[in-house]
């Protein structure tokens, strides 16, 4: 059972391009016969699928159905809603919770703070490409550079349309990794800035929490203050939950 679940995690990490048997063996540590037997069982039960031409495996329709079913009431909301509400109280600003969904960041939750001018740059249930907006930049910063480059190539026109060059994104990612949180200023929505942090909540799932506010409120000094606050709070939440701490990335909405 555990080995089959691990294979599902491997397939999920390679859902975009698929992964061949050798890759599955390499990432899972399983012998060829065992990996092939488990994959065949997953294919038979439609939890995996195998492309006849490329011989690459991906998640199957039943695995995807489980994921879709969970989105009707994401378990993460129950676990993280009180945390997001706490951060909104501490900062007074709008707090966003996003989760990685393939090449995108899906907004699961938005909590308004007490500051009179509200920032609602993304709605609950809305998706953005990784790297666009706060949570997406946070999540993207946690990816290895080769995966980032592949993502940038796949969606080059969309990033260009958003006014984001590959060089600008890579520069933002390096800064995010160095300081443990990221920040944006007027880059997505004029007059809006933010900071945020990303952290893993399971072996497969990473989320990002970010603050968004008008740029006059979130100046350089306050971005530093809020970035450190967010990083510290995310570390404390992850430690209390028995999970790994923040990833190298963090971003603004």
């Amino acid at each position: 059972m555990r080995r089959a679940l691990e294979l599902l995690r491997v397939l999920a990490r390679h859902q975009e391009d698929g992964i061949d048997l050798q890759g599955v063996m390499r990432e899972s540590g399983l012998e060829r016969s065992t990996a092939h037997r488990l994959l065949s069982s997953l294919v038979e039960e439609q939890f995996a699928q195998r492309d006849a031409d490329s011989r690459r495996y991906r998640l199957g329709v039943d695995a995807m159905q489980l994921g879709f079913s969970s989105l009707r009431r994401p378990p993460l909301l129950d676990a993280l809603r009180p945390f997001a509400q706490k951060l909104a109280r501490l900062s007074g600003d709008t707090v966003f919770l996003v989760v990685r969904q393939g090449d995108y960041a899906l907004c699961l939750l938005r909590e308004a703070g007490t500051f009179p001018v509200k920032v609602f740059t993304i709605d609950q249930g809305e998706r953005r490409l990784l790297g666009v907006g706060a949570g997406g930049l946070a999540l993207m910063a946690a990816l290895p550079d080769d995966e980032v480059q592949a993502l940038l190539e796949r969606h080059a026109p969309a990033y260009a349309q958003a006014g984001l060059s590959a060089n600008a994104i890579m520069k933002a990612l390096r800064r995010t990794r160095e300081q443990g949180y990221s920040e944006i200023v007027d880059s997505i929505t004029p007059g809006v800035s933010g900071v945020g942090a990303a952290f893993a909540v399971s072996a497969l799932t990473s989320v990002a929490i970010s603050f968004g506010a008008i740029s006059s409120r979130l100046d350089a000094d306050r971005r530093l203050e809020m970035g450190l606050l967010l990083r510290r709070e995310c570390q404390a939440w992850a430690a209390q939950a028995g999970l790994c701490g923040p990833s190298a990335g963090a971003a603004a909405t």
Side-chain angles (χ1 to χ4, degrees):
M1 172 67 82
R2 288 184 179 275
R3 291 184 296 184
L5 291 174
E6 176 57 28
L7 289 193
L8 288 175
R9 293 189 178 100
V10 171
L11 298 185
R13 289 196 292 267
H14 296 273
Q15 183 66 9
E16 291 292 333
D17 301 319
I19 184 171
D20 60 17
L21 179 59
Q22 291 295 327
V24 170
M25 293 165 55
R26 183 170 57 252
E27 292 205 16
S28 66
L30 295 175
E31 296 181 354
R32 183 184 185 87
S33 60
T34 302
H36 185 268
R37 176 175 54 81
L38 290 173
L39 286 169
S40 296
S41 296
L42 291 174
V43 170
E44 289 176 6
E45 296 296 329
Q46 298 191 66
F47 279 87
Q49 62 179 15
R50 181 176 180 267
D51 186 277
D53 296 324
S54 68
R55 298 183 179 181
R56 287 179 170 271
Y57 293 88
R58 293 178 175 84
L59 290 178
V61 63
D62 278 8
M64 300 300 291
Q65 185 58 46
L66 289 177
F68 294 147
S69 297
S70 72
L71 288 176
R72 294 172 187 167
R73 181 174 176 178
L76 281 176
L77 286 183
D78 294 334
L80 287 168
R81 190 188 300 276
F83 182 46
Q85 292 171 340
K86 173 187 176 182
L87 291 173
R89 290 195 302 270
L90 288 174
S91 66
D93 298 319
T94 306
V95 172
F96 301 86
L97 167 66
V98 299
V99 60
R100 184 184 177 188
Q101 191 180 68
D103 289 356
Y104 296 85
L106 172 68
C107 181
L108 291 180
L109 183 65
R110 185 180 69 189
E111 290 287 342
T114 57
F115 189 69
V117 182
K118 311 298 183 186
V119 168
F120 297 146
T121 53
I122 187 171
D123 295 324
Q124 187 169 331
E126 185 180 349
R127 292 195 316 172
R128 284 179 174 171
L129 273 173
L130 292 175
V132 178
L137 184 58
L139 294 168
M140 196 182 203
L143 302 178
D145 282 346
D146 58 346
E147 192 170 343
V148 169
Q149 291 294 345
L151 197 158
L152 293 175
E153 292 172 7
R154 279 196 300 272
H155 301 284
Y159 285 116
Q161 186 176 8
L164 297 171
S165 68
N167 287 338
I169 292 175
M170 292 304 300
K171 182 178 180 180
L173 294 180
R174 287 193 293 270
R175 179 177 176 85
T176 297
R177 292 164 179 167
E178 289 172 0
Q179 60 191 19
Y181 65 90
S182 76
E183 50 187 328
I184 62 169
V185 181
D186 303 327
S187 60
I188 305 302
T189 303
V192 172
S193 298
V195 296
F199 57 100
V201 294
S202 77
L204 272 182
T205 305
S206 292
V207 300
I209 297 264
S210 61
F211 298 133
I214 57 175
S215 297
S216 58
R217 171 174 169 80
L218 207 54
D219 59 13
D221 288 342
R222 193 162 189 275
R223 288 198 303 274
L224 173 61
E225 177 187 356
M226 292 295 99
L228 295 177
L229 167 69
L230 190 54
R231 190 176 67 183
R232 182 178 68 248
E233 290 293 329
C234 287
Q235 287 174 337
W237 187 93
Q240 185 177 15
L243 304 166
C244 46
S247 64
T253 307

